[in-house]
Amino acid sequence: MRIGVWGGGALGLLWAARLAALYSETVLVTRTRKQADAVRSEGIRVIGLDGKARRMPVQAVESDRVTASFDVIMLMVKQRDFTSAFYQALSVCAQDGVIVCWQNGVGHDAVVKKTRHTQPVYGAVTTEGAWREDMTTVRHTGAGQTWIGPLLGKQEDHPALLRSLIAQVDHRWCPVVLEADIQPRIWKKLMINSVINPLTALLEVENGELFRLPDARALIRAALEEGVAVVRAMGYRWEADDVFHEVAEVCEKTATNRSSMYQDLMRGHMTEVDWINGGIVKEGKARGIQTPIHETLMRLVHAKEAINRR
């Protein structure tokens, strides 16, 4: 099976190493030639939860030089890069292939809807944590589970090659579940990210620190109440207390993880806040629901982005 892992961030490195151990034709597709050269030369070094480092040889190529045809593409780029990467991925995905989108937040499904494609497009949600230490090294910082399902609409029957891949990964590496409808998972992950990501980024703390700060806990609960009001208007019958407990559990399981938004700000990059908190704000406006806390978090993150660009 020919697999393309598109994106050399933390999860991209982690999954490229995992899949290369199962499928020798796995290729990591990077944004820069520098990273592709480094991976080709050194492989990917994975530091596991046990602290032990393992190096896996992995093929790599920069995105503007991709010519192979892939059976499965794991599209693991940031939301800001999604549109161009998705069109590129479509051009090198086999006619009977599958594209799996791993983006945080919401909005990428709207891009997919506007695109003419024959290949099935899936969405993925994970609670695993990872931290990219350098171009070829990733530290696995939190165990978790992954769910994969059709991005647009519900579907009970799934492509055989995707079922085979997921069975292999589930058996060898981590729990993976195929879902008929991934949208509830996407929105639940967005709800969790909407408090963990901006607060860890603004406070510059690891995930586990949030629930040791009383004021942060209070802000998490208030923001979740806002978000739950929005998703209940969308038809999801969730309770703020339940989601609060899920956030606490994720923070505990990924206590040493630095959220992707925190990592972006550390590196001086633009964040995905417009697709996370901004997704809640946009949906709230469409339904006449005020979301001042999420708007404030979004503005504060943008302010910190501006400071980092100076």
Side-chain angles (χ1 to χ4, degrees):
M1 190 182 299
R2 297 160 300 175
I3 302 173
V5 179
W6 211 288
L11 283 179
L13 289 176
L14 180 65
W15 274 77
R18 285 173 170 174
L19 292 170
L22 297 170
Y23 303 97
S24 61
E25 292 185 272
T26 296
V27 178
L28 176 67
V29 181
T30 66
R31 183 175 57 84
T32 67
R33 182 174 184 177
K34 185 177 181 181
Q35 186 180 21
D37 287 343
V39 171
R40 282 193 295 264
S41 172
E42 305 169 22
I44 295 174
R45 181 169 173 260
V46 179
I47 304 171
L49 295 173
D50 58 3
K52 295 180 180 178
R54 302 166 181 85
R55 193 174 293 279
M56 172 60 61
V58 179
Q59 299 178 58
V61 64
E62 55 271 38
S63 59
D64 60 359
R65 295 193 176 195
V66 176
T67 57
S69 176
F70 296 112
D71 300 307
V72 176
I73 294 177
M74 298 293 193
L75 196 54
M76 301 175 115
V77 300
K78 297 286 188 179
Q79 280 275 14
R80 61 179 178 267
D81 301 318
F82 178 79
T83 301
S84 60
F86 182 69
Y87 278 98
Q88 275 189 296
L90 277 179
S91 70
V92 293
C93 184
Q95 287 300 309
D96 57 349
V98 181
I99 298 176
V100 183
C101 304
W102 290 71
Q103 284 60 50
N104 283 326
V106 292
H108 51 296
D109 53 345
V111 175
V112 175
K113 283 178 184 177
K114 295 176 183 177
T115 309
R116 291 184 179 180
H117 60 277
T118 57
Q119 301 92 336
V121 179
Y122 277 62
V125 172
T126 188
T127 57
E128 285 196 289
W131 160 252
R132 196 187 93 164
E133 296 199 344
D134 57 42
M135 288 190 295
T136 64
T137 303
V138 60
R139 183 179 293 274
H140 190 197
T141 56
Q145 184 164 330
T146 298
W147 297 266
I148 295 176
L151 188 62
L152 306 177
K154 299 179 182 180
Q155 183 178 322
E156 298 288 347
D157 188 30
H158 308 290
L161 57 83
L162 184 61
R163 285 188 278 108
S164 174
L165 184 153
I166 286 174
Q168 291 291 328
V169 173
D170 183 75
H171 175 73
R172 175 80 178 270
W173 294 111
C174 60
V176 184
V177 178
L178 260 177
E179 300 253 288
D181 182 8
I182 199 66
Q183 285 297 327
R185 297 283 183 191
I186 288 175
W187 275 95
K188 181 63 69 69
K189 178 69 180 294
L190 179 142
M191 293 288 292
I192 293 170
N193 280 348
S194 74
V195 290
I196 293 178
N197 278 25
L199 288 176
T200 55
L202 293 167
L203 297 173
E204 298 182 351
V205 297
E206 295 174 341
N207 292 0
E209 189 68 20
L210 288 183
F211 276 76
R212 291 191 280 269
L213 301 169
D215 288 322
R217 284 203 310 271
L219 191 52
I220 286 170
R221 184 175 289 278
L224 288 176
E225 288 174 356
E226 262 187 19
V228 166
V230 172
V231 296
R232 285 180 69 85
M234 296 169 58
Y236 297 125
R237 305 262 64 88
W238 300 342
E239 298 293 338
D241 283 348
D242 296 333
V243 184
F244 181 82
H245 290 307
E246 288 188 56
V247 172
E249 184 178 347
V250 170
C251 285
E252 181 181 354
K253 287 183 176 179
T254 63
T256 61
N257 192 46
R258 293 172 180 172
S259 72
S260 58
M261 197 173 291
Y262 181 15
Q263 293 182 46
D264 283 340
L265 286 181
M266 286 177 62
R267 296 188 175 106
H269 297 166
M270 299 295 289
T271 72
E272 297 177 296
V273 71
D274 288 337
W275 295 274
I276 298 176
N277 299 83
I280 293 174
V281 171
K282 182 179 179 180
E283 197 66 40
K285 286 181 178 178
R287 298 173 185 277
I289 298 171
Q290 298 296 311
T291 54
I293 295 174
H294 286 283
E295 288 189 48
T296 299
L297 289 173
M298 188 167 59
R299 289 180 182 277
L300 286 172
V301 171
H302 282 317
K304 196 154 189 176
E305 289 172 345
I307 291 171
N308 288 347
R309 290 197 300 272
R310 289 180 180 174

